[in-house]
């Protein structure tokens, strides 16, 4: 069996498809600036260089919202596949309970009333996420994992070539995401963390604290050239948490 045949089925990808997905990413509602999204896409593309069964099958996104970063990840995979020379075909597993983080709730800075389900009165970003994925035509490349991130992580066994953490930004949810998902990154794979602000005046502390912890763990080294803005990218160099 070839390395590729052990992963997801490979279908031909044209550069045009990758470009179309990027256009959807740029239009989608969300919290991913384009330059950071393109950097994230670049890392997603690198996962295709990992072997199937050795992280190359799987990218995990924690914090999907309406699918903006999901589409940058899918764009990166498709662009790499269109370029050829890949060892694997990663699927993007996109984790979110779709009821929003604290800052998305009514009365908070990032509340969008158009995303409230009128029947329940609760925020529900899943319909928007689905529309984003469907309009990009990548339902075969992206899988929604709808539920609580730590609950899923505790039962998730698949090694990941890339874990992208952009879930709840409070102390408790951010650390739960780190503890649950960072150990899934294979040696040679990548951990990307969004909204890392070394200066507290620029943003909340938890994502920065996760980034520092990852570096201090000895398990990760930063790949400065792969990051952009508040998106920090680290490569796993040793097993562990
Ligand atoms: C900052 S937003 C993600 C933004 C997105 N990456 C983008 O590009 O627009 C954080 C997301 O994390 C989700 N979230 C927060 N805590 C969660 C938890 N415990 N389990 C699953 N999802 C969670 C929220 O529902 C929200 O959609």
């Amino acid at each position: 069996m070839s390395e590729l045949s052990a992963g997801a089925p490979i279908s031909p990808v044209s550069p045009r498809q990758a470009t179309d997905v990027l256009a959807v990413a740029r239009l989608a509602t969300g919290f991913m600036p384009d330059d950071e999204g393109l950097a994230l896409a670049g890392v997603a593309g690198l996962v295709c260089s990992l072997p199937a069964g050795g992280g190359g099958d799987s990218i995990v996104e924690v914090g999907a919202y309406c699918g903006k970063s999901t589409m940058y990840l899918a764009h990166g995979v498709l662009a790499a596949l269109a370029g050829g020379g890949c060892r694997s075909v990663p699927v993007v597993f996109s984790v979110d309970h779709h009821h929003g983080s604290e800052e998305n709730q009514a009365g908070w800075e990032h509340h969008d009333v158009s995303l409230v389900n009128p029947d329940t009165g609760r925020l529900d970003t899943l319909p928007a996420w689905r529309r984003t994925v469907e309009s990009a035509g990548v339902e075969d490349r992206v899988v929604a994992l709808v539920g609580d991130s730590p609950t899923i992580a505790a039962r998730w066994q698949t090694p990941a070539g890339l874990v992208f953490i952009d879930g709840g930004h409070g102390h408790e949810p951010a650390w739960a995401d780190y503890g649950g998902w960072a150990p899934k990154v294979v040696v040679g794979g990548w951990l990307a963390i969004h909204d890392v602000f070394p200066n507290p005046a620029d943003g909340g502390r938890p994502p920065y604290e996760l980034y520092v912890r990852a570096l201090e763990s000895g398990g990760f080294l930063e790949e400065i050239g792969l990051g952009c803005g508040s998106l920090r990218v680290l490569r796993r160099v040793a097993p562990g948490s």
Side-chain angles (χ1 to χ4, degrees):
M1 195 194 297
S2 73
E3 282 182 326
L4 263 179
S5 64
I10 188 164
S11 49
V13 172
S14 69
R16 173 66 192 267
Q17 270 179 287
T19 308
D20 288 350
V21 176
L22 178 57
V24 173
R26 286 175 166 154
L27 287 173
T29 299
F31 301 101
M32 181 56 64
D34 190 54
D35 55 350
E36 297 182 7
L38 291 172
L40 183 65
V43 186
L46 291 174
V47 176
C48 302
S49 67
L50 298 176
D57 300 305
S58 161
I59 292 171
V60 175
E61 167 183 62
V62 185
Y65 198 58
C66 299
K68 194 173 187 69
S69 50
T70 321
M71 289 305 98
Y72 280 106
L73 290 165
H75 163 66
V77 169
L78 289 176
L81 293 175
C86 293
R87 300 172 76 192
S88 59
V89 184
V91 168
V92 178
F93 293 98
S94 179
V95 178
D96 203 306
H97 53 39
H98 286 284
H99 290 309
S101 302
E102 193 178 32
E103 60 272 19
N104 304 125
Q105 307 307 321
W108 288 72
E109 184 188 357
H110 294 296
H111 181 61
D112 181 344
V113 72
S114 73
L115 296 171
V116 173
N117 178 338
D119 295 331
T120 64
R122 296 183 75 189
L123 199 79
D124 184 0
T125 53
L126 183 56
W129 185 91
R130 289 197 76 138
R131 280 194 298 276
T132 301
V133 175
E134 194 174 356
S135 65
V138 290
E139 287 168 300
D140 56 341
R141 312 253 174 212
V142 176
V143 173
L145 299 177
V146 181
D148 176 54
S149 161
T151 304
I152 297 169
R155 290 152 182 84
W156 189 256
Q157 304 293 335
T158 309
L162 166 63
V163 165
F164 167 56
I165 295 183
D166 193 20
H169 284 31
H171 179 87
E172 195 181 318
W175 278 103
D177 286 341
Y178 180 81
W181 291 106
K184 317 289 187 198
V185 178
V186 296
V187 173
W190 292 269
L191 173 67
I193 305 174
H194 196 219
D195 292 331
V196 171
F197 297 111
N199 182 349
D202 295 331
R205 300 313 283 156
Y208 174 71
E209 289 165 2
L210 308 189
Y211 155 80
V212 170
R213 168 65 177 274
L215 287 174
E216 288 179 352
S217 74
F220 294 95
L221 287 179
E222 183 165 13
E223 297 216 312
I224 291 171
L226 297 182
C228 174
S230 75
L231 180 80
R232 299 302 177 98
V233 179
L234 305 108
R235 191 159 199 190
R236 184 176 278 292
V237 292
S241 56

